[in-house]
Amino acid sequence: MPSSTLQMRILTLGPLATNCYIVFCSETREALIIDPGWDARQILAMVRALDLRVRYVVNTHAHWDHIGANAAVVEATGAPLALHPADRPLLEAKGGADWWSIPLPPSPPPDLELRDGEVLQVGKLRFQVLWTPGHTPGHISLYEAQAGVVLDGDVLFARGIGRTDLPGGDYETLMRSIREKLLTLPDETRVYPGHGPPTTIGEERASNPFLEFPE
């Protein structure tokens, strides 16, 4: 579970049941919104109900189901939009929504380019950016060491991994990201993915059928 300082609300939204995370510091009420993929009204209602000040809106990657509410959420909160620069072309292409004839408003451009190893400060929380490409070229995860939490988008799921058959995906790159960036975290680290339930690094190391790396 999140720590007493790190609190979160999970909203599962849109046609692909994408997890949008509102993560906040309980002491300062500062927050970040991760992957506002759909239904801005519901996201903003939660922010108001919790009396939060949004410091950042972060896209773990720029597929359409993770960016669909960017425009409305950024406009309403005034928070900067943060994205890895390698996913900016995908963002500008509306996350591929047109490939499936999905009507999607264009996202504003990112205000902040996320780089591997940098830190986003949100109240007393420190989120380290982990560049975890493979699902998309600019995919990132956010790790808060004190709370033992990683929000990893569409890289590692409970008993699954992100797909790599979409443009920009690469299986070997994804597996390297998992092996070098996620499985090096402590086993007790809670993993909050872009779809499905949370898990832990230890649970996935022990029982995820996709993670049988050769010795």
Side-chain angles (χ1 to χ4, degrees):
M1 294 295 292
S3 69
S4 58
T5 303
L6 186 153
Q7 297 290 310
M8 73 167 66
R9 299 292 186 272
I10 306 171
L11 300 173
T12 301
L13 305 171
L16 296 187
T18 305
N19 292 329
C20 171
Y21 294 95
I22 301 172
V23 189
F24 61 97
C25 172
S26 61
E27 297 184 30
T28 66
R29 315 305 292 179
E30 291 188 355
L32 58 79
I33 298 174
I34 300 171
D35 291 342
W38 209 261
D39 199 348
R41 287 181 294 180
Q42 190 172 343
I43 297 169
L44 295 170
M46 181 67 74
V47 168
R48 289 192 297 270
L50 295 168
D51 192 25
L52 301 177
R53 181 165 68 91
V54 180
R55 288 291 309 275
Y56 303 101
V57 176
V58 178
N59 294 143
T60 59
H61 63 293
H63 280 148
W64 65 267
D65 59 311
H66 292 253
I67 67 168
N70 273 4
V73 170
V74 167
E75 181 179 6
T77 63
L81 178 64
L83 178 77
H84 191 283
D87 260 26
R88 182 162 183 164
L90 184 58
L91 184 77
E92 292 172 348
K94 296 195 291 186
D98 292 345
W99 305 337
W100 291 281
S101 300
I102 296 167
L104 201 75
S107 171
D111 304 288
L112 177 65
E113 293 187 345
L114 297 176
R115 304 285 182 173
D116 189 49
E118 66 183 274
V119 171
L120 295 180
Q121 186 86 33
V122 179
K124 296 187 176 182
L125 306 173
R126 291 173 54 84
F127 294 90
Q128 182 183 359
V129 175
L130 307 178
W131 181 41
T132 48
H135 181 62
T136 67
H139 197 296
I140 62 98
S141 302
L142 293 176
Y143 176 52
E144 217 294 337
Q146 284 290 105
V149 164
V150 64
L151 300 111
D152 81 314
D154 289 3
V155 176
L156 180 65
F157 301 119
R159 310 302 184 267
I161 60 173
R163 61 188 295 179
T164 57
D165 58 337
L166 297 173
D170 183 82
Y171 176 79
E172 295 300 329
T173 302
L174 179 78
M175 299 308 286
R176 184 166 59 250
S177 292
I178 293 171
R179 183 174 57 246
E180 297 179 0
K181 294 296 182 68
L182 297 183
L183 294 187
T184 55
L185 302 177
D187 277 354
E188 62 271 19
T189 305
R190 294 283 291 175
V191 180
Y192 290 90
H195 304 271
T199 183
T200 69
I201 292 295
E203 288 171 6
E204 297 314 303
R205 190 195 310 278
S207 58
N208 190 312
F210 296 93
L211 302 189
E212 296 178 356
F213 296 108
E215 296 294 334

